[in-house]
Amino acid sequence: MKYTLPELKFATNALEPIIDAKTMEIHHQKHHGAYIANLNKALEGLEAFETWSIEDILENLDKLPEDVKGAVRNNGGGHYNHTLFWESITPGGKPMSEAFKVKLEATFGSLHGFREAFKEAALKRFGSGWAWLVLDGESLKVISTPNQDAPLSDGLKELLGLDVWEHAYYLNYQNRRADYIEAFWSIVDWEVVESRL
Ligand code: MN
């Protein structure tokens, strides 16, 4: 399968001032675009994987030939994670349901407790990576992954991810990753997040 760059569901300037147009443009076209180009290149000529979805591939990295495994893990994860990310954000955000709020409160004590756990995961990820709200079986968990590793590869179901690579926020926030994390809450589309349950 040749992977292609998914269209954004909003204009590149629609998330301002939370995420600036230039960052969105470079992030989507150049960074995500490069993950896709490199993923396609890594899988070139591997006919056995032509019918596999990106999910199939990330769930079965061990089945890939040794010489392309690293490239597919990084670039396939890059494609998958960014696709989830773009779908999870929307101008102005969309509120979470009462039922989901109750679920978060049951796990993290309060909505504030959830946000603090997520913020900590995002802040403590040294270097590049992601913070996630995932389902582990029936349980909600907050985790972080390095580089472009996808929770799916560890048997987890992604509900919400935040890209904390510097390319995601540096133009607008420079070294202020905490401010970027805080601002992120105002653009989360909880309808999409909950639809993944
Ligand atoms: Mn990114």
Side-chain angles (χ1 to χ4, degrees):
M1 185 190 299
K2 279 271 186 193
Y3 295 96
T4 54
L5 186 65
E7 295 272 336
L8 293 172
K9 61 185 179 183
F10 43 77
T12 50
N13 65 357
L15 299 173
E16 291 201 353
I18 309 300
I19 302 179
D20 62 284
K22 192 76 188 163
T23 296
M24 275 307 299
E25 205 179 296
I26 298 172
H27 199 177
H28 178 245
Q29 294 290 328
K30 306 290 182 191
H31 289 275
H32 191 172
Y35 294 126
I36 288 168
N38 290 327
L39 174 63
N40 286 334
K41 200 171 151 205
L43 291 173
E44 217 167 55
L46 296 177
E47 281 167 28
F49 299 96
E50 265 175 15
T51 57
W52 288 34
S53 67
I54 190 63
E55 288 85 356
D56 291 336
I57 287 176
L58 292 172
E59 280 173 337
N60 296 280
L61 288 171
D62 283 351
K63 297 191 175 143
L64 288 154
E66 209 53 49
D67 60 330
V68 301
K69 197 180 287 180
V72 172
R73 174 181 178 165
N74 290 334
N75 294 292
H79 172 39
Y80 181 74
N81 293 340
H82 285 84
T83 303
L84 279 168
F85 186 51
W86 308 137
E87 287 170 354
S88 310
I89 51 182
T90 195
K94 283 194 187 156
M96 72 174 64
S97 69
E98 193 56 33
F100 193 66
K101 184 165 167 268
V102 166
K103 210 169 153 64
L104 281 176
E105 286 168 347
T107 306
F108 300 98
S110 63
L111 203 51
H112 179 73
F114 157 65
R115 285 189 178 193
E116 285 298 301
F118 194 91
K119 183 179 180 180
E120 186 175 306
L123 273 179
K124 286 193 175 164
R125 167 51 54 199
F126 188 76
S128 297
W130 292 74
W132 299 98
L133 174 66
V134 297
L135 264 185
D136 182 1
E138 295 295 305
S139 309
L140 290 172
K141 279 190 185 153
V142 165
I143 63 159
S144 79
T145 55
N147 306 312
Q148 293 297 352
D149 288 0
L152 180 73
S153 300
D154 293 323
L156 303 167
K157 167 96 185 127
E158 303 86 359
L159 300 180
L160 175 66
L162 176 61
D163 189 344
V164 293
W165 284 56
E166 283 187 346
H167 69 223
Y169 64 87
Y170 208 82
L171 289 182
N172 207 7
Y173 298 90
Q174 293 85 45
N175 61 325
R176 293 173 284 115
R177 190 190 280 191
D179 292 352
Y180 162 68
I181 299 164
E182 199 51 52
F184 169 64
W185 296 120
S186 65
I187 54 169
V188 174
D189 187 333
W190 286 103
E191 280 179 23
V192 169
V193 172
E194 293 178 37
S195 74
R196 296 185 178 131
L197 277 170

